[in-house]
Amino acid sequence: MTADRRRGSIGGAAGPAAGSGGAAGPVPGSGGGAASPGSDETNACGLAVRGLSGGYVPGRDALRDVTFEAGPGQIVGVLGPNGGGKTTLFRALLGELPRRRGELELPGRLAYVPQTERTRLDFPVSAFDVVLMGAYGRTPWFRRVARRDREAARAALDRVGLAERAGDSFGVLSGGQRQRVLIARALLQEAPVLLLDEPLSGVDGVSAARIEALFGELRAEGRTLLVATHDVRQAGEWDRVLCLHGRQIDFGRPAAVLSPETLRETYGAELIVLEGGDHAVGVGHHVH
């Protein structure tokens, strides 16, 4: 993993960060990039966000006043309703939000894992090809992907339990298997921070178990994970919770943040309280 650390203030219009991937290519979100320039220094810290606001058109913020920190080995659950700002936050961190302001400190490159339902299924690429896209950011355009990266791509597929499906077309895999392939691609980037957009939404039980086990491994390795989810119960098992609804509602340890009052302010009509009143879940999927 890179030890490169970048910090700085951001303001006004912002273009895509180098290596951020974005919509280019057959499968979106193939890379991650630092959202702000600044001095590089060796630092074991995770990421820090202060006063982050921004949006897609001038004069209208899709997200505002976000301040939080996430250290190495921490998993942060990002909760919020449809259009509440979870994906907008990720785009801001990746440097892909057209207009943003605030301060960011990033420990190098970020790796982004999109929702599998947003990926192209008709493009003729294998699972191995998709994972190998994770090496494009460090491969000059005039060179073939290095043998070391090809070996690492196979190891990443093996880590998510799909080594035997390397040659299969990405489009014929199940939703859970495609999600694991996208996570393997992020692993190949060797980024210290992973942004995962609802990685457990709608996946099969086998894939969910694999992904959850991998989260534990990555936490033990000192990676920082920001996981967008609608599952309040699951977020309660992680290290920190960030609640968004167009702005930051709360951030902190689950026991302190996941109160009925905070959840109502976060989800509003999208909050479902389960039997007994002890658990709640947010419903729906991202719409932006």
Side-chain angles (χ1 to χ4, degrees):
M1 295 187 298
T2 178
D4 173 39
R5 187 165 182 81
R6 302 164 189 184
R7 67 176 62 184
S9 299
I10 51 178
S20 61
V27 184
S30 60
S36 63
S39 61
D40 296 342
E41 60 188 73
T42 300
N43 196 314
C45 296
L47 64 86
V49 178
R50 302 182 187 89
L52 179 64
S53 299
Y56 302 89
V57 296
R60 188 193 309 173
D61 286 343
L63 185 65
R64 66 183 189 278
D65 303 328
V66 176
T67 297
F68 70 95
E69 294 184 0
Q74 288 190 337
I75 302 178
V76 178
V78 184
L79 296 175
N82 286 342
K86 300 186 296 296
T87 298
T88 298
L89 171 64
F90 286 178
R91 291 193 65 183
L93 295 177
L94 291 167
E96 297 176 351
L97 196 64
R99 296 184 176 275
R100 60 209 164 107
R101 60 191 183 277
E103 296 182 1
L104 302 180
E105 292 185 25
L106 305 175
R109 298 178 63 85
L110 310 182
Y112 173 60
V113 180
Q115 297 179 51
T116 183
E117 65 186 35
R118 295 185 175 185
T119 57
R120 289 274 301 274
L121 302 182
D122 58 344
F123 203 86
V125 291
S126 68
F128 179 74
D129 293 332
V130 173
V131 176
L132 206 58
M133 293 177 187
Y136 288 178
R138 57 177 176 264
T139 304
W141 65 268
F142 53 86
R143 291 188 177 178
R144 291 171 56 88
V145 174
R147 179 182 299 178
R148 175 182 61 85
D149 285 328
R150 298 181 70 85
E151 293 172 352
R154 296 190 186 281
L157 272 175
D158 184 57
R159 190 170 186 183
V160 299
L162 292 174
E164 74 284 357
R165 306 299 299 271
D168 291 0
S169 172
F170 181 76
V172 305
L173 299 176
S174 70
Q177 290 170 336
R178 291 196 301 271
Q179 192 68 65
R180 284 190 273 162
V181 169
L182 296 177
I183 292 174
R185 180 180 65 186
L187 295 179
L188 187 60
Q189 296 177 53
E190 301 178 342
V193 178
L194 276 68
L195 312 178
L196 300 104
D197 199 348
E198 297 189 25
L200 294 164
S201 178
V203 304
D204 58 272
V206 172
S207 292
R210 278 278 187 175
I211 293 170
E212 289 176 350
L214 182 60
F215 283 1
E217 295 172 8
L218 295 174
R219 172 195 265 163
E221 292 174 5
R223 310 265 192 130
T224 303
L225 276 62
L226 268 62
V227 186
T229 180
H230 286 284
D231 191 332
V232 177
R233 177 201 59 79
Q234 185 177 67
E237 299 175 355
W238 294 334
D239 302 288
R240 299 288 187 274
V241 176
L242 174 64
C243 294
L244 304 174
H245 192 152
R247 62 182 176 87
Q248 180 169 315
I249 303 300
D250 205 351
F251 171 73
R253 297 182 182 276
V257 171
L258 297 179
S259 66
E261 294 77 14
T262 298
L263 291 175
R264 289 191 190 97
E265 191 173 358
T266 300
Y267 282 102
E270 288 195 8
L271 183 70
I272 295 179
V273 180
L274 303 182
E275 57 182 273
D278 296 328
H279 297 87
V281 295
V283 296
H285 298 278
H286 288 301
V287 295
H288 68 278

